[in-house]
Amino acid sequence: MVLQTEFEFTLPKGYIDKEGNLHKKGVMRLATAADEILPLKESRVQSNPAYLTVILFSRVITKIGNLNSINSEMIENLFAGDLSYLQEFYRRINENGTGKIKTTCPKCEHNFEVEVLPEGE
């Protein structure tokens, strides 16, 4: 069995870069202990604990659209709905090891996994 460490996602609204290009698809990797611990030493996090999410995501998101260098400024400029989506996605992949959720068909009661996509996808 191979451990999956990277997971694709699609932002509900998308990141708009400095040139006005919209980027919706991205990749997030599993977090390490260092990803969760090292940002706690940053002054931005110490003065505002809510900033932990920004620093953490700038470490574990490896790609948004065709942008491969993710920084805290990019995460700061995400729409609130996208940030909320990423927080839930982060929780799912790091707790469950998958970007999918388990569900049951209400008609036949068959169990299966499904990827949760933003509205309109």
Side-chain angles (χ1 to χ4, degrees):
M1 182 172 133
V2 176
L3 176 65
Q4 182 178 355
T5 60
E6 291 190 327
F7 301 84
E8 294 182 355
F9 61 82
T10 303
L11 296 171
K13 299 202 180 332
Y15 170 72
I16 300 173
D17 66 23
K18 292 178 181 178
E19 288 79 38
N21 301 309
L22 180 65
H23 305 273
K24 292 188 83 160
K25 296 196 178 285
V27 176
M28 182 184 290
R29 66 171 173 77
L30 290 177
T32 64
D35 291 325
E36 293 197 348
I37 294 169
L38 293 177
L40 297 173
K41 296 179 180 179
E42 288 226 12
S43 61
R44 294 176 289 185
V45 175
Q46 291 175 351
S47 65
N48 181 359
Y51 205 77
L52 174 63
T53 301
V54 172
I55 302 296
L56 179 62
F57 285 173
S58 69
R59 293 176 61 99
V60 299
I61 295 173
T62 59
K63 184 175 186 177
I64 297 177
N66 61 356
L67 308 170
N68 295 317
S69 180
I70 310 304
N71 59 47
S72 58
E73 182 181 344
M74 293 170 69
I75 304 301
E76 289 172 350
N77 288 307
L78 289 173
F79 293 106
D82 289 336
L83 188 63
S84 178
Y85 169 82
L86 288 170
Q87 288 172 317
E88 174 60 23
F89 188 78
Y90 176 88
R91 188 193 61 75
R92 269 190 282 136
I93 68 171
N94 284 285
E95 289 179 10
N96 304 329
T98 180
K100 299 178 180 179
I101 60 169
K102 294 180 182 186
T103 190
T104 302
C105 175
K107 292 184 181 181
C108 70
E109 297 184 6
H110 174 73
N111 295 321
F112 60 99
E113 292 184 341
V114 63
E115 181 73 39
V116 177
L117 295 173
E119 288 183 35
E121 286 293 313

